[in-house]
Amino acid sequence: MTPVDPFARPELPDPGPRTPLDPSRPEIHGDGSTTYDFFSPPTRAAEEAGSYAPEPPYDGPPVYAPEPAYPSAPAYPAAPPGAPVFTPPRFIPGPQDPPTIELGGPMAPTVGYEHPAPRVETAPPVLPAPAAAAESEGPGPLYVVGDVHGYLQALLDALHQAGIIDAEGHWSAGPARIWFLGDFTDRGPDGIGVIDLVMNLAAEAAASGGYCRALMGNHELLLLGADRYGDQAVQSTAGTASFLAAWRLNGGQPTDMERLQDHHVTWLSRLPAMAVEDDHLLVHSDTTAYLEYGDSVDAVNDAIHEVLQGDEADDWWDCFRRMTKRFAFRGDAGPSACHELLDAYGGRRIVHGHSPIPYLVGDAQSEDGPAGNSGHPVTGPHIYADGLAVAMDGGVTMEGQGRLLVARLPLN
């Protein structure tokens, strides 16, 4: 996989975002392609200009608790004396009421921390033929999962609380159907562990007559681009950038790049960008940019797959940039934007991730203050745009305010 240069290492200073091209328009970064996915509430001028609203800045990887997150996960070495330790929620077996997940503090920079060794390459799981369900039973219940961003333990807890996996992390939902809405990696401690879990659940669900599927998010595009093109220059609308620089600045974890294997790349590259299930249009990003790739679900998925099968780095970059746009469904124009997508692709309601709910509803502080320490904690999905849109990114990366969301559809 792509070698990670010294500036990507968490023990060294981050190069930081680039300066604006136009000092009079600070909301439009000089190289939006490397900084726009950091999050700050956009100004009205930025929204009208169609600039990219960034996500909450992240300080780097944590010192992860030394206990493996699930049986097949690698053990993490103990933290050095005095280093801050990220302690994920405990995975408690057995039925329980769904509490608010304790997410712990923000990711702290590590000094002198030895990352785990790369995982030994293994063959991808073989998907067995789905078990035949009784015709009279119909399809199983439909679930969606918001952005995970490497928080493997929070994902295990949420899936267990929803009855989708058992106490040992195996599929236990029979014919249930589940869609992950993208953004498995970056910012959190174990993005590759998240991908491995979802791939394994896909095989186990198929054997039980259900399915586990996933959409491609902008961070999947970013990881794939960083792996394939590294520091190769690409042309953004604001200047020259590179995938690897953008990946670093948007929470890319060196251990994820080191553990990324060919079967992960193949699986990620084949993920669809959108799907329609039970009258729900499932997408990762709250943007109308999907319309630029086609007027049907199949056309959009085929067009994006064609880009990823090609060798044009600038086309990859353009696809990544479009999928980072956000906030199309909020405000007075939101319902109209929803209807644009629903009329083109089908469904009666859009379900998306990408934009953390605290920022989407304006509960979180601006980038001038600490993220996640104001407003109301996320308790569930956010329904808005006259009931036409459901936001599923609970802001798992936000201390004290966010959580990882798993929801059964339809929602009232």
Side-chain angles (χ1 to χ4, degrees):
M1 298 299 108
T2 296
V4 180
D5 64 37
F7 292 103
R9 296 295 181 182
E11 64 267 20
L12 297 179
D14 192 293
R18 304 188 185 201
T19 56
L21 281 181
D22 183 354
S24 68
R25 299 291 300 282
E27 72 277 4
I28 301 179
H29 298 285
D31 187 355
S33 54
T34 62
T35 63
Y36 51 70
D37 204 28
F38 284 110
F39 204 104
S40 61
T43 64
R44 175 57 55 187
E47 288 185 329
E48 291 174 353
S51 62
Y52 305 104
E55 290 184 18
Y58 233 62
D59 294 327
V63 177
Y64 197 65
E67 178 179 298
Y70 63 104
S72 62
Y76 287 79
V85 177
F86 168 82
T87 303
R90 300 292 299 172
F91 186 36
I92 304 173
Q96 56 187 297
D97 293 329
T100 300
I101 298 174
E102 297 294 330
L103 298 178
M107 300 173 69
T110 308
V111 178
Y113 178 64
E114 182 181 354
H115 293 287
R119 181 170 296 179
V120 177
E121 174 67 63
T122 58
V126 177
L127 300 181
E135 220 176 276
S136 59
E137 292 179 4
L142 176 64
Y143 295 86
V144 287
V145 183
D147 301 37
V148 182
H149 282 301
Y151 281 84
L152 176 59
Q153 187 62 54
L155 175 60
L156 288 164
D157 287 343
L159 293 175
H160 183 250
Q161 290 161 10
I164 295 168
I165 62 174
D166 61 23
E168 297 188 359
H170 296 294
W171 182 266
S172 62
R177 301 163 293 156
I178 186 168
W179 277 92
F180 287 80
L181 300 179
D183 280 7
F184 295 130
T185 67
D186 302 338
R187 300 197 177 99
D190 196 0
I192 298 302
V194 171
I195 294 171
D196 284 337
L197 175 65
V198 176
M199 293 176 71
N200 288 333
L201 290 179
E204 294 176 356
S208 299
Y211 64 69
C212 174
R213 298 174 183 170
L215 298 179
M216 181 175 293
N218 60 305
H219 281 266
E220 279 70 55
L221 287 166
L222 183 57
L223 177 66
L224 291 171
D227 173 59
R228 179 161 184 166
Y229 295 108
D231 272 324
Q232 178 179 328
V234 292
Q235 292 296 320
S236 74
T237 56
T240 304
S242 77
F243 272 106
L244 190 58
W247 175 76
R248 289 199 306 257
L249 291 172
N250 286 287
Q253 304 297 296
T255 52
D256 281 348
M257 188 64 78
E258 291 163 1
R259 294 164 57 203
L260 186 69
Q261 302 294 336
D262 289 344
H263 70 271
H264 297 132
V265 171
T266 299
W267 185 78
L268 291 170
S269 299
R270 293 173 178 172
L271 295 179
M274 58 168 52
V276 176
E277 292 285 355
D278 296 356
D279 275 339
H280 295 88
L281 175 60
L282 309 179
V283 294
H284 172 70
S285 304
D286 45 329
T287 178
T288 58
Y290 294 97
L291 293 166
E292 300 172 39
Y293 283 102
D295 57 5
S296 71
V297 170
D298 288 343
V300 171
N301 290 333
D302 289 346
I304 292 178
H305 287 159
E306 184 176 351
V307 169
L308 298 184
Q309 290 168 8
D311 295 322
E312 294 295 328
D314 287 342
D315 290 346
W316 278 58
W317 185 259
D318 188 52
C319 183
F320 165 61
R321 292 181 60 246
R322 291 179 185 182
M323 294 303 105
T324 60
K325 295 182 180 180
R326 61 176 84 249
F327 294 151
F329 310 141
R330 74 176 187 180
D332 294 339
S336 176
C338 289
H339 280 298
E340 275 192 85
L341 291 188
L342 294 171
D343 290 347
Y345 304 126
R348 296 183 181 179
R349 177 180 270 182
I350 297 170
V351 182
H352 69 85
H354 190 46
S355 293
I357 292 171
Y359 289 91
L360 187 63
V361 302
D363 276 347
Q365 291 184 2
S366 72
E367 62 182 346
D368 296 325
N373 293 328
S374 65
H376 305 287
V378 171
T379 58
H382 174 56
I383 303 175
Y384 67 115
D386 293 346
L388 295 173
V390 177
M392 282 293 301
D393 183 353
V396 66
T397 63
M398 302 173 69
E399 178 192 8
Q401 191 171 355
R403 60 180 292 183
L404 194 150
L405 295 179
V406 177
R408 180 173 174 175
L409 301 179
L411 298 171
N412 294 329

